[in-house]
Amino acid sequence: MKFKRILLKLSGGALVGENNESFDKKKLDTITDQIVHARNNGIEVAIVIGAGNIFRGRTAGEWNMDRADADNIGMMATIINSLMIKGALDSKIKDQTVVMNSIPIPLVGEQYIRRDAQKLIDQGKILIFGGGMGHPYITTDYGSVQRAIETKCDVVLMAKSGTNGVYTADPRKDKEAKRFKYLNYEDAINSNLQVADLSAFVLAREFKMPLYVFDFDEVDAVSKVCNGEEIGTYVGEDCKTELY
């Protein structure tokens, strides 16, 4: 097994239904089925999810809302999404999922404490980190990398919908765009490739935390990645940049 302990970074958009409902049962089933299958195969799983299905930054801009207020709304929305995923997981595997929030809300989740999180994931619990980092101006990309470092994960799996890796250019606009199999941190920075939020990318590089960008819509994608199948783009320091 290539990756034993993972942090799965999901976008809030992964929960959106065909009619733009904030939550879609089929999408939740797809997500949780992959997580359960990976866990049953011995993979230790932590999760961070965004809030784009509930509240987007561009909405705040249209309303001329203060950035700090908008980020606080977004952090609360990530807790709602975390609870939705927990509920869906609980319907399949009982008492194995814990929501840990950076914002103290004791009735809906545990307070995030690094050592407690490490103990829980060591015990095989699925951890969902809600509330971002508890402070505005920090993206969920950054929070994903930080939580992965704190809980000693092997990799941050950046799940995308309809995007199977990092390309030399936007494949929707450039038919000549090619997909990377491996991408060195320095090459990603020098080429200005938008792998993740810049602050998250810098943190990942500093602590040598690899990122893996892949299409979550592929059947059993999480287990495939953890077993070493090359279905996306590996980003790290310990590789030379290579195209498919």
Side-chain angles (χ1 to χ4, degrees), residues 64-88:
N64 198 29
M65 184 181 293
D66 182 83
R67 168 67 186 273
D69 290 337
D71 283 356
N72 286 334
I73 295 169
M75 285 188 287
M76 296 302 293
T78 67
I79 294 176
I80 294 171
N81 283 343
S82 297
L83 293 171
M84 285 295 294
I85 293 176
K86 180 184 186 301

Side-chain angles (χ1 to χ4, degrees), residues 23-222:
F23 302 102
D24 181 83
K25 186 178 185 304
K26 289 183 179 179
K27 293 289 186 70
L28 277 165
D29 279 338
T30 298
I31 291 168
T32 53
D33 284 346
Q34 289 212 36
I35 293 167
V36 170
H37 188 251
R39 182 186 178 277
N40 289 343
N41 286 335
I43 298 164
E44 297 166 344
V45 182
I47 303 164
V48 169
I49 185 164
N53 58 318
I54 298 174
F55 185 80
R56 291 185 178 275
R58 66 169 177 262
T59 303
E62 290 169 358
W63 294 352
N64 198 29
M65 184 181 293
D66 182 83
R67 168 67 186 273
D69 290 337
D71 283 356
N72 286 334
I73 295 169
M75 285 188 287
M76 296 302 293
T78 67
I79 294 176
I80 294 171
N81 283 343
S82 297
L83 293 171
M84 285 295 294
I85 293 176
K86 180 184 186 301
L89 283 168
D90 284 346
S91 71
K92 298 173 182 180
I93 47 173
K94 295 291 185 184
D95 302 322
Q96 297 300 312
T97 306
V98 179
V99 172
M100 301 192 84
N101 296 319
S102 57
I103 301 170
I105 312 178
L107 292 178
V108 300
E110 297 187 16
Q111 174 69 33
Y112 176 77
I113 299 172
R114 179 177 58 85
R115 289 186 179 179
D116 289 348
Q118 288 176 341
K119 289 177 182 177
L120 287 167
I121 199 167
D122 286 343
Q123 294 167 6
K125 300 291 187 182
I126 299 171
L127 297 188
I128 307 175
F129 299 121
M133 301 306 294
H135 302 282
Y137 312 113
I138 299 174
T139 66
T140 50
D141 277 353
Y142 186 94
S144 300
V145 174
Q146 179 165 334
R147 293 294 188 243
I149 294 166
E150 291 172 338
T151 52
K152 304 184 186 305
C153 290
D154 299 323
V155 66
V156 177
L157 299 189
M158 307 196 75
K160 304 293 183 180
S161 180
T163 301
N164 61 353
V166 181
Y167 283 76
T168 55
D170 187 341
R172 294 168 296 185
K173 299 177 181 178
D174 185 351
K175 294 182 179 179
E176 300 300 318
K178 294 180 174 57
R179 182 164 57 116
F180 291 101
K181 179 185 287 186
Y182 304 109
L183 182 58
N184 186 272
Y185 288 135
E186 295 303 323
D187 291 332
I189 291 173
N190 293 337
S191 300
N192 194 30
L193 297 172
Q194 303 300 311
V195 179
D197 172 80
L198 180 59
S199 62
F201 195 78
V202 170
L203 183 65
R205 183 182 61 169
E206 180 180 354
F207 285 88
K208 299 180 174 60
M209 175 60 65
L211 313 175
Y212 197 95
V213 183
F214 68 107
D215 186 354
F216 194 71
D217 295 332
E218 181 167 336
V219 176
D220 208 22
V222 172

